[in-house]
């Protein structure tokens, strides 16, 4: 029995908390709010703002809290940031071509 129990993997004593708020069809859920190295997660303040907005939402569509949701998802996925970086890189490349006398003004369609 002692040999068998020593070979079994130890179960982590990790407690997962879930923050969930439900209003109509809109559900906001975040796993814990804790960051990967402990402390508060980098996006938790955005989630908390979104969750607080949902508490006062007057419609079931989520439109009242659209900006809070957008900020939270941008924090998670950085889609707007990456899009902006790509646009800047593209413009820099066009500027190099133009400076080298390669033509192509960038404004032509």
């Amino acid at each position: 029995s002692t040999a068998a129990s020593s070979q079994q993997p130890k179960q982590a004593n990790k407690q997962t908390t879930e923050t969930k708020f439900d209003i109509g069809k809109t559900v906001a859920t975040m796993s814990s709010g804790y960051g990967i190295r402990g402390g508060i997660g980098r996006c938790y303040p955005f989630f908390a703002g979104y969750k607080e907005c949902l508490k006062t939402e007057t419609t079931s569509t989520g439109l009242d809290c659209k900006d809070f949701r957008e900020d939270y998802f941008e924090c998670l996925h950085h889609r707007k940031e990456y899009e902006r970086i790509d646009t800047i890189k593209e413009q820099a490349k066009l500027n190099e071509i133009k400076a080298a006398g390669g033509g192509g003004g960038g404004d032509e369609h």
Side-chain angles (χ1 to χ4, degrees):
S1 174
T2 307
S5 64
S6 65
Q7 290 181 355
Q8 291 178 358
K10 293 183 179 180
Q11 293 292 327
N13 229 0
K14 187 177 179 182
Q15 181 181 7
T16 304
T17 58
E18 184 176 271
T19 303
K20 186 173 183 178
F21 186 76
D22 185 358
I23 178 167
K25 294 182 180 180
T26 306
V27 176
T29 305
M30 186 169 189
S31 61
S32 69
Y34 294 102
I36 194 164
R37 291 179 175 73
I40 193 165
R42 66 180 170 86
C43 296
Y44 186 75
F46 294 102
F47 173 76
Y50 177 47
K51 186 176 86 169
E52 287 302 312
C53 179
L54 288 175
K55 287 180 182 178
T56 61
E57 169 132 353
T58 58
T59 67
S60 63
T61 62
L63 291 177
D64 290 348
C65 300
K66 179 180 173 266
D67 293 338
F68 287 98
R69 183 181 185 277
E70 220 173 86
D71 290 343
Y72 174 53
F73 276 83
E74 177 59 22
C75 180
L76 290 174
H77 306 293
H78 305 285
R79 287 190 179 123
K80 290 180 183 179
E81 178 184 359
Y82 294 145
E83 183 180 317
R84 180 73 176 138
I85 289 169
D86 289 344
T87 301
I88 291 169
K89 285 180 180 178
E90 187 178 302
Q91 186 60 50
K93 197 179 289 186
L94 289 173
N95 291 347
E96 285 179 21
I97 293 169
K98 189 174 181 180
D107 291 329
E108 300 171 24
H109 295 275

